Short mmCIF file of all heavy atoms in Angstrom, two decimals:
data_model
loop_
_atom_site.label_atom_id
_atom_site.label_comp_id
_atom_site.label_asym_id
_atom_site.label_seq_id
_atom_site.Cartn_x
_atom_site.Cartn_y
_atom_site.Cartn_z
N LEU A 28 -12.31 -10.25 -60.02
CA LEU A 28 -13.59 -10.98 -59.94
C LEU A 28 -14.62 -10.51 -60.96
O LEU A 28 -14.64 -9.35 -61.36
CB LEU A 28 -14.16 -10.84 -58.53
CG LEU A 28 -13.33 -11.52 -57.45
CD1 LEU A 28 -13.90 -11.23 -56.09
CD2 LEU A 28 -13.26 -13.01 -57.70
N PRO A 29 -15.50 -11.43 -61.38
CA PRO A 29 -16.53 -11.10 -62.39
C PRO A 29 -17.77 -10.47 -61.76
O PRO A 29 -18.75 -11.15 -61.47
CB PRO A 29 -16.85 -12.48 -62.98
CG PRO A 29 -16.66 -13.42 -61.84
CD PRO A 29 -15.52 -12.85 -61.04
N PHE A 30 -17.76 -9.19 -61.56
CA PHE A 30 -18.85 -8.52 -60.85
C PHE A 30 -20.16 -8.49 -61.64
O PHE A 30 -21.20 -8.20 -61.08
CB PHE A 30 -18.44 -7.10 -60.45
CG PHE A 30 -17.52 -7.09 -59.27
CD1 PHE A 30 -16.16 -6.99 -59.43
CD2 PHE A 30 -18.03 -7.21 -58.00
CE1 PHE A 30 -15.32 -7.00 -58.34
CE2 PHE A 30 -17.21 -7.23 -56.90
CZ PHE A 30 -15.85 -7.12 -57.07
N TRP A 31 -20.14 -8.79 -62.92
CA TRP A 31 -21.37 -8.82 -63.70
C TRP A 31 -22.13 -10.14 -63.48
O TRP A 31 -23.25 -10.28 -63.90
CB TRP A 31 -21.08 -8.62 -65.18
CG TRP A 31 -20.45 -9.81 -65.83
CD1 TRP A 31 -21.09 -10.79 -66.51
CD2 TRP A 31 -19.08 -10.17 -65.82
NE1 TRP A 31 -20.19 -11.73 -66.94
CE2 TRP A 31 -18.94 -11.37 -66.52
CE3 TRP A 31 -17.92 -9.58 -65.31
CZ2 TRP A 31 -17.73 -12.01 -66.72
CZ3 TRP A 31 -16.72 -10.21 -65.49
CH2 TRP A 31 -16.63 -11.40 -66.19
N ARG A 32 -21.53 -11.10 -62.78
CA ARG A 32 -22.15 -12.40 -62.53
C ARG A 32 -22.47 -12.57 -61.05
O ARG A 32 -22.17 -13.59 -60.45
CB ARG A 32 -21.21 -13.51 -63.01
CG ARG A 32 -20.96 -13.44 -64.50
CD ARG A 32 -19.89 -14.37 -64.94
NE ARG A 32 -20.29 -15.76 -64.76
CZ ARG A 32 -19.48 -16.77 -64.96
NH1 ARG A 32 -18.25 -16.57 -65.33
NH2 ARG A 32 -19.91 -18.00 -64.78
N ARG A 33 -23.09 -11.58 -60.46
CA ARG A 33 -23.40 -11.60 -59.04
C ARG A 33 -24.58 -12.54 -58.74
O ARG A 33 -25.48 -12.70 -59.54
CB ARG A 33 -23.76 -10.21 -58.55
CG ARG A 33 -22.65 -9.23 -58.66
CD ARG A 33 -23.02 -7.92 -58.03
NE ARG A 33 -24.07 -7.23 -58.76
CZ ARG A 33 -23.88 -6.18 -59.52
NH1 ARG A 33 -22.69 -5.68 -59.67
NH2 ARG A 33 -24.88 -5.62 -60.13
N ARG A 34 -24.53 -13.12 -57.55
CA ARG A 34 -25.67 -13.91 -57.08
C ARG A 34 -26.73 -12.99 -56.49
O ARG A 34 -26.53 -11.79 -56.35
CB ARG A 34 -25.21 -14.93 -56.03
CG ARG A 34 -24.39 -16.04 -56.61
CD ARG A 34 -24.32 -17.19 -55.63
NE ARG A 34 -23.37 -18.19 -56.06
CZ ARG A 34 -23.70 -19.26 -56.79
NH1 ARG A 34 -24.94 -19.46 -57.16
NH2 ARG A 34 -22.77 -20.13 -57.14
N PHE A 37 -25.84 -10.86 -53.24
CA PHE A 37 -24.43 -10.45 -53.36
C PHE A 37 -24.08 -9.33 -52.40
O PHE A 37 -23.03 -9.38 -51.74
CB PHE A 37 -24.15 -10.01 -54.80
CG PHE A 37 -22.80 -9.39 -54.98
CD1 PHE A 37 -21.69 -10.20 -55.10
CD2 PHE A 37 -22.63 -8.02 -55.01
CE1 PHE A 37 -20.43 -9.66 -55.27
CE2 PHE A 37 -21.38 -7.46 -55.18
CZ PHE A 37 -20.28 -8.28 -55.30
N PHE A 41 -21.16 -10.80 -50.02
CA PHE A 41 -19.79 -10.42 -50.39
C PHE A 41 -19.09 -9.60 -49.30
O PHE A 41 -18.00 -9.96 -48.87
CB PHE A 41 -19.81 -9.67 -51.73
CG PHE A 41 -18.46 -9.37 -52.29
CD1 PHE A 41 -17.65 -10.39 -52.77
CD2 PHE A 41 -17.98 -8.08 -52.34
CE1 PHE A 41 -16.40 -10.12 -53.29
CE2 PHE A 41 -16.74 -7.80 -52.85
CZ PHE A 41 -15.94 -8.82 -53.33
N ALA A 73 -15.86 -17.47 -50.38
CA ALA A 73 -16.48 -16.16 -50.58
C ALA A 73 -16.79 -15.94 -52.05
O ALA A 73 -17.87 -15.43 -52.40
CB ALA A 73 -15.56 -15.06 -50.07
N ILE A 74 -15.89 -16.33 -52.93
CA ILE A 74 -16.12 -16.17 -54.37
C ILE A 74 -17.26 -17.07 -54.82
O ILE A 74 -18.14 -16.66 -55.56
CB ILE A 74 -14.83 -16.46 -55.16
CG1 ILE A 74 -13.78 -15.39 -54.88
CG2 ILE A 74 -15.10 -16.54 -56.66
CD1 ILE A 74 -12.41 -15.71 -55.42
N PHE A 75 -17.25 -18.31 -54.35
CA PHE A 75 -18.29 -19.26 -54.75
C PHE A 75 -19.67 -18.84 -54.24
O PHE A 75 -20.67 -19.00 -54.94
CB PHE A 75 -17.94 -20.66 -54.22
CG PHE A 75 -18.69 -21.75 -54.90
CD1 PHE A 75 -18.35 -22.13 -56.19
CD2 PHE A 75 -19.74 -22.39 -54.27
CE1 PHE A 75 -19.05 -23.14 -56.83
CE2 PHE A 75 -20.44 -23.40 -54.91
CZ PHE A 75 -20.10 -23.78 -56.19
N ALA A 76 -19.72 -18.25 -53.05
CA ALA A 76 -21.01 -17.82 -52.48
C ALA A 76 -21.51 -16.52 -53.08
O ALA A 76 -22.72 -16.26 -53.09
CB ALA A 76 -20.88 -17.67 -50.97
N SER A 77 -20.62 -15.69 -53.62
CA SER A 77 -21.00 -14.36 -54.10
C SER A 77 -21.26 -14.27 -55.59
O SER A 77 -21.97 -13.38 -56.04
CB SER A 77 -19.91 -13.35 -53.74
OG SER A 77 -19.71 -13.32 -52.35
N PHE A 78 -20.68 -15.18 -56.37
CA PHE A 78 -20.77 -15.07 -57.83
C PHE A 78 -21.34 -16.35 -58.43
O PHE A 78 -21.20 -17.43 -57.86
CB PHE A 78 -19.38 -14.80 -58.42
CG PHE A 78 -18.78 -13.51 -57.96
CD1 PHE A 78 -17.87 -13.49 -56.92
CD2 PHE A 78 -19.15 -12.32 -58.54
CE1 PHE A 78 -17.33 -12.30 -56.48
CE2 PHE A 78 -18.62 -11.12 -58.11
CZ PHE A 78 -17.71 -11.11 -57.07
N LYS A 79 -21.94 -16.21 -59.60
CA LYS A 79 -22.49 -17.35 -60.33
C LYS A 79 -21.38 -18.00 -61.14
O LYS A 79 -21.24 -17.78 -62.35
CB LYS A 79 -23.62 -16.90 -61.25
CG LYS A 79 -24.82 -16.37 -60.53
CD LYS A 79 -25.87 -15.88 -61.51
CE LYS A 79 -27.02 -15.26 -60.76
NZ LYS A 79 -28.00 -14.64 -61.65
N VAL A 80 -20.57 -18.80 -60.46
CA VAL A 80 -19.45 -19.49 -61.09
C VAL A 80 -19.48 -20.95 -60.66
O VAL A 80 -19.98 -21.28 -59.58
CB VAL A 80 -18.09 -18.86 -60.70
CG1 VAL A 80 -17.95 -17.47 -61.28
CG2 VAL A 80 -17.91 -18.81 -59.20
#
Side-chain angles (χ1 to χ4, degrees):
L28 294 175
F30 284 98
W31 73 95
R32 297 171 66 187
R33 296 186 292 255
R34 289 196 189 267
F37 172 80
F41 187 70
I74 293 170
F75 197 75
S77 301
F78 298 98
K79 295 177 184 174
V80 292

